[in-house]
Amino acid sequence: MRRTWRCLLASVVVWVTPGAVSAQERGYEGGWGMHPMTWMWGAWGIGMGLLMLVFWGLIIAGIVLAIRWLVRQGREPGSSRALDILRERYARGEINKEEFEAKRRDLS
């Protein structure tokens, strides 16, 4: 029986305390500037926080893609050392056309 009353009392304290705290009269001393910032933690605050993360994620991804694009500008497209060696071997006659095509497909 005592355990039941303790649980009931704990429940009442948990439910009543936030109401009592929020019912206190307060001026604007809790906020910044001329109005309190109580709205910031509502749905708008969460949504704006997520939008800020998306915005900075897009900015950082754009910078990374721009740097990768600039680095690749100096390279020849599709050129690799392995294909060059394979072409040289084919030109010297060390491998025939079937071997060349099979190895080129493996490298690509």
Side-chain angles (χ1 to χ4, degrees):
M1 184 76 168
R2 285 186 178 190
R3 186 170 184 215
T4 305
W5 283 105
R6 278 190 224 161
C7 290
L8 183 61
L9 180 63
S11 300
V12 168
V13 168
V14 167
W15 286 99
V16 171
T17 303
V21 170
S22 64
Q24 294 178 2
E25 282 192 43
R26 295 186 187 180
Y28 292 113
E29 75 272 7
W32 295 346
M34 296 182 64
H35 55 84
M37 298 288 285
T38 56
W39 57 270
M40 187 161 179
W41 297 112
W44 284 105
I46 293 169
M48 290 178 77
L50 291 175
L51 283 176
M52 181 184 65
L53 289 175
V54 168
F55 171 77
W56 284 110
L58 289 173
I59 295 294
I60 291 170
I63 290 171
V64 168
L65 289 174
I67 290 172
R68 288 178 68 189
W69 180 74
L70 287 172
V71 168
R72 290 184 182 175
Q73 286 295 91
R75 295 184 189 167
E76 296 177 17
S79 175
S80 74
R81 183 72 183 133
L83 283 175
D84 292 340
I85 293 171
L86 187 62
R87 287 186 188 110
E88 289 173 9
R89 288 185 63 198
Y90 180 66
R92 286 191 297 244
E94 294 176 9
I95 57 174
N96 60 17
K97 184 171 177 79
E98 292 82 24
E99 279 183 282
F100 173 77
E101 291 297 328
K103 290 182 184 200
R104 186 178 58 84
R105 278 192 303 269
D106 289 341
L107 292 173
S108 302

